[in-house]
Amino acid sequence: MNDLNGMASRFEQAERHLASCEQAVAADKVGRRGSWGRRLVDFLFDTAPEKAFEAAQEGMAGVRSEAAAAVTRVVSAAAMRYLSTAAADVARRAIQLDRLSSARKMERKAQNVLALATTARDAFGEAAEACSSASSMELMDAFSNNKGISAISSMRNSSAREAVDEAQKALANLRAAIDAASSVNARVDMPDDFLDLVLDFALDLPFDFLSWSNKAKLDAAEEQCNEAKGAIESVMARLRTNLEQMREVASREERALALIERPYIEQAARPVPTSLRFAIPETMETLSL
């Protein structure tokens, strides 16, 4: 713990310096009350005491970050040594870490599915707008001999095709993510209907048009894209619910892990200096699950 004592001295010194700079700013402002010119300078510019205070804040933030890392490292290592002498708790912790890892994986997959659903919904919305725009220009082209309008109509048709292709790719990514999330063996207690999603709408859209220079086909495509967007939105409500359920499962597993580790962390943290006790970790290590 000697290195923590040195860190505590640095932290306490940074705290005192910050408090001193804060007091200097307050005193400087009081001293400016009797002068409009000095008050104007204070309003328009950072004064020397204010600059010193900002520097002290930055310094304090750096020391606080270093202290947190040092305390976590020292306490976690000591707690692991104490834990290693209790075979039963070592086994319990290993099982709980496995459960937490599985829960975190499920949470990440649920979050990924929701993000992909959002992308797919937005893509179909954009495709519907592109089809609508192309249809409108197609109508103008039908009643005009203007080559400029014909060129614009052709570009709008091309943009609509690209937008529909992007929407279908987004849908394929969503379906693949749902399949992957549904196949995970979580080894934790999950809601029975977790991602039990079959996307109960037919979105195998037949956009293999022989020609895009057909207003009726563009209108049909717009309608299908809007239907797809609405269907995905209806599924997203369930996806949000499932994500919240996964987060609660992960939180529950974290709490269970903390109960196993807490006695050993408390034992390891006893020598930590008072000024650094804010940095005592909740768990023995920062998990990357």
Side-chain angles (χ1 to χ4, degrees), residues 39-232:
R39 290 172 66 182
L40 181 61
V41 170
D42 187 20
F43 177 76
L44 294 176
F45 305 100
D46 286 337
T47 63
E50 286 173 337
K51 291 178 180 178
F53 180 57
E54 290 177 2
Q57 286 180 309
E58 293 177 2
M60 183 67 198
V63 174
R64 187 179 183 87
S65 179
E66 286 185 52
V71 172
T72 296
R73 182 178 63 253
V74 171
V75 171
S76 295
M80 286 295 292
R81 289 196 300 272
Y82 295 137
L83 173 68
S84 65
T85 63
D89 282 344
V90 168
R92 288 175 59 214
R93 181 174 182 271
I95 292 171
Q96 191 56 42
L97 281 172
D98 192 42
R99 289 173 63 90
L100 179 55
S101 176
S102 294
R104 283 298 188 204
K105 287 177 182 177
M106 294 296 282
E107 181 185 358
R108 286 196 297 271
K109 286 185 178 293
Q111 193 167 15
N112 181 53
V113 168
L114 179 57
L116 290 173
T118 301
T119 298
R121 178 202 61 189
D122 294 345
F124 275 108
E126 292 171 4
E129 291 178 3
C131 289
S132 176
S133 177
S135 175
S136 298
M137 189 55 65
E138 188 73 25
L139 182 62
M140 291 180 62
D141 190 28
F143 291 96
S144 172
N145 293 322
N146 189 303
K147 292 183 178 180
I149 291 179
S150 294
I152 294 174
S153 178
S154 177
M155 288 188 291
R156 295 282 175 85
N157 285 335
S158 178
S159 295
R161 179 191 292 276
E162 292 175 1
V164 170
D165 287 344
E166 288 301 313
Q168 292 213 25
K169 290 177 184 177
L171 178 62
N173 291 337
L174 173 60
R175 283 176 160 161
I178 288 174
D179 289 342
S182 300
S183 66
V184 172
N185 179 14
R187 287 175 293 181
V188 290
D189 298 328
M190 292 292 173
D192 293 337
D193 63 346
F194 173 66
L195 290 182
D196 181 20
L197 303 173
V198 293
L199 296 182
D200 53 355
F201 47 89
L203 279 183
D204 294 318
L205 300 178
F207 287 125
D208 52 347
F209 302 125
L210 296 177
S211 171
W212 276 77
S213 59
N214 187 310
K215 184 177 185 302
K217 290 180 179 179
L218 285 166
D219 291 342
E222 179 188 358
E223 182 179 357
Q224 286 179 292
C225 286
N226 279 324
E227 289 177 356
K229 177 184 176 183
I232 293 173

Side-chain angles (χ1 to χ4, degrees), residues 6-36:
M7 179 60 69
S9 296
R10 287 182 56 202
F11 183 81
E12 291 159 10
Q13 183 179 1
E15 275 191 321
R16 289 192 297 269
H17 179 59
L18 180 62
S20 175
C21 289
E22 188 174 16
Q23 291 172 359
V25 169
D28 182 63
K29 290 188 179 298
V30 170
R32 292 176 183 275
R33 289 178 181 175
S35 169
W36 283 103

